[in-house]
Amino acid sequence: MAVKSDTIVEAKEQRYDFFFYGTLCVPAVLTRVLGHKCDDLTFQDALLPNYTRHCVKGESYPAIIDREKTNILTSRGDVLTSEEVNVRGTLVKGLTYKDINLLDIYEGIEYLRDKLPVQALSPPTAISSLAQAISDPTSRAKAEYLKQVQDSIEGKEKEGGVDVGMTEAWTYIWAEDLDKLEPRIWSFEDYMKAKESSWRDLPDDYFTDVERQQAIKEEPGSTGDERSSSAVGTDDLTTDGEECKLLGRTAEGFPDFGRGMRKYWGFADDYVNLNHGSYGSPPKIVIDKMRKLSDQIESNPDRFMRRTWLPILNKVREQVSEMIGARTEEVVVVPNATHGLNTVLMNLNWDEGDIIVIYSSTYGAVGQMVKCLCDKNPQIRLEIIDDVFPCSHKEIIEQSEKVLSKYNQLAQPNYTGLSKPTGVNANERIRAVVVDVIASNPGVIYPWEDIVRLCKKYGAMSVVDAAHAIGQVEVDVKKSDCDFWVSNCHKWLHSHRGSAVLYVPIRNQYLIRSTFPTSAGYESTRYPTKGIDRPWQFVEQFQWTGTTDWAPFFSVNDAIDFRKSMGGEKRIMQYCHTLAVQGGKRLRKKWGTEVMDTPKGELTAAMVNVRLPHVPDPKDLEDQFKQLRYFEDKCFEGNTFVAAFRHGGKWWARFSAQVWNDLNDFDHAAEVVEKICIGIK
């Protein structure tokens, strides 16, 4: 949903007036969209002058356009009647900025919100005492309408001392191509008759997006115990790893999880893979289908690259968008998460005094990219929040808010959803926060949804590095309402490397003016392409960024199908999570060390971090690299691999649990790794 006028930022007490001319004319529909009883709103019969109502082709809902567009769309030579050239509907007063956010989502990208003069035809009435003509718009009589218009013309704009004359109100006008509209003009009476049978029986998918948004119950930055979490379960860390606590291992009609699943992968017979999190491991069926697709491409490269590829790409976007709760037009593919984050941050226009916040556990390449950005833009700087795990989500949230409140004032309510930070001091403010869903090393869950809410609280943009998210934890980007989100598909979703998805909500797409590298889909405002009337489109510019091997990207479809054949996302996530938790406990017992988690178990998804035994502190950074090199070489010799890293002055190892693993794999790795640690010592 586009916004024609300037961004509106008002205090929370500010209320807004809207003119509705479609399904939202019915109070019963409006209450469902807004998610409350509308007791503090008023309703009036009203008229929008100099606009016409048309049916959207193939749909049951209408759109309105101004007289200039009407002349283009219609070929009528006669003069339009007053009923046709004035759109009749309902004027609703008293909406909050939260209400308008939901209305924007409900109306979608086909409409543009604008503030226009509206003629009120009846006095404002509360929902508890609505007249029949307001509660049931289909009952509004034409004769009554004509009389009201005549009264307005004659200046009878007062009824019982209440102004029923001209006012200004927001409304949603058509923003798409005119050829998507029927040329015939719908009068209010015709439209109501056409819709009368379905007013009270709208399909549930009319409300899907707004009801997902309504699921957000908390205020920005809430740190209560009831906040949402990405974790898929918790367990008592004082117990030892037990087989009986592995959930989802068996499911009727599907293969058992554990070592028997190795037949679906191409691992060497004696290789124990406990490092799926680094590069991913596509199953054989995904690789085979990808190779067949490669053969198809090579059989006629021109046909595939010029015709065949786009429907397959769109299917990838459709399936992934459904998984993460986004709209298809908000999701594009990129080679990997680092590439996607570069695309976002390199596109933003940075002002003097802007600050970018990252965390000390931010992925190395992402942290270096932010430093590069600051080097190229000396007017901005970097702020790093130091987080040493294990620490609770509450502590991370408190640290984050401490930094945000140091530089930024509380943001004014902004129903367009656009972030606008205001500094405590005029010369600097936090513009963006880069936060992980699940960090790489350590492999811990972040309270990223709470950090996103904090960003909204202080007007900063939330840039979410979800490299490890999709396929490992459930995600709903609409519920979190983040500004940008990018995830690899080749890690936990089992597609071939590299393939990733970038989510940019419609409200922020105007900020991402170019792909990385710039594609042929880019359109310059200063130097438009001659002879082509092609507006800039967010999705289209990501469709072709240069010749590439599409096969890894398109393997996402096959990976999703494979996961469904294994029992689906919930089963896979449940097993991998409980295996990680129980495997971590087993290692802690064998080594006499500790698991990196809190008593609530809020840090572990399908990667568990366990402190290594026996390893002495390195003398310096060179010695640390030497120890790490030795550790990796001996893992290769032991036909296994786990990711070792240094954090908080200690050596840790990250174990990735997958459907082909069981607790025996943790036992095997425990023996190999302990020998390595003794060798280092």
Side-chain angles (χ1 to χ4, degrees), residues 131-152:
Q132 177 69 13
I134 301 296
S135 60
D136 181 8
T138 62
S139 67
R140 297 184 197 178
K142 183 175 181 180
E144 177 195 8
Y145 153 73
L146 293 174
K147 182 179 183 302
Q148 289 170 326
V149 173
Q150 186 63 35
D151 288 346
S152 295

Side-chain angles (χ1 to χ4, degrees), residues 280-346:
S281 303
K284 288 188 286 187
I285 190 172
V286 171
I287 296 174
D288 290 344
K289 289 186 176 182
M290 188 189 72
R291 288 171 177 166
K292 288 180 181 178
L293 180 62
S294 293
D295 290 341
Q296 178 190 342
I297 294 171
E298 297 312 317
S299 68
N300 193 330
D302 276 286
R303 175 179 292 172
F304 188 90
M305 295 295 188
R306 296 176 187 272
R307 297 290 187 271
T308 310
W309 64 281
L310 187 55
I312 307 175
L313 173 63
N314 288 338
K315 185 180 178 183
V316 172
R317 294 173 47 243
E318 288 169 7
Q319 293 209 90
V320 172
S321 62
E322 183 179 351
M323 292 185 72
I324 65 174
R327 299 181 181 208
T328 304
E329 59 268 26
E330 296 174 317
V331 172
V332 293
V333 298
V334 290
N336 53 64
T338 305
H339 189 287
L341 291 164
N342 268 266
T343 302
V344 170
L345 292 176
M346 294 295 183

Side-chain angles (χ1 to χ4, degrees), residues 342-363:
N342 268 266
T343 302
V344 170
L345 292 176
M346 294 295 183
N347 265 282
L348 299 181
N349 293 321
W350 301 96
D351 297 327
E352 181 80 32
D354 281 347
I355 300 170
I356 308 174
V357 172
I358 64 173
Y359 295 80
S360 59
S361 57
T362 294
Y363 185 61

Side-chain angles (χ1 to χ4, degrees), residues 337-338 340-342 344-346 348 350 355-371 373-374 381-385 387 396 400 404 430-439 446-448 451-452 455 460-467 482-486:
T338 305
L341 291 164
N342 268 266
V344 170
L345 292 176
M346 294 295 183
L348 299 181
W350 301 96
I355 300 170
I356 308 174
V357 172
I358 64 173
Y359 295 80
S360 59
S361 57
T362 294
Y363 185 61
V366 174
Q368 296 301 93
M369 178 263 294
V370 174
K371 293 176 183 178
L373 187 65
C374 293
R381 69 178 182 85
L382 172 66
E383 181 95 2
I384 302 175
I385 297 176
D387 47 6
I396 298 171
S400 302
L404 280 161
I430 293 175
R431 177 78 182 284
V433 177
V434 180
V435 60
D436 290 299
V437 172
I438 302 173
Y446 260 79
W448 68 282
I451 303 301
V452 169
C455 288
M461 283 194 166
S462 52
V463 183
V464 182
D465 182 353
C482 51
D483 288 311
F484 305 97
W485 186 95
V486 61

Side-chain angles (χ1 to χ4, degrees), residues 479-494:
K479 181 179 176 182
S480 70
D481 203 22
C482 51
D483 288 311
F484 305 97
W485 186 95
V486 61
S487 181
N488 290 318
C489 295
H490 60 257
K491 287 184 181 286
W492 296 89
L493 199 61
H494 297 318

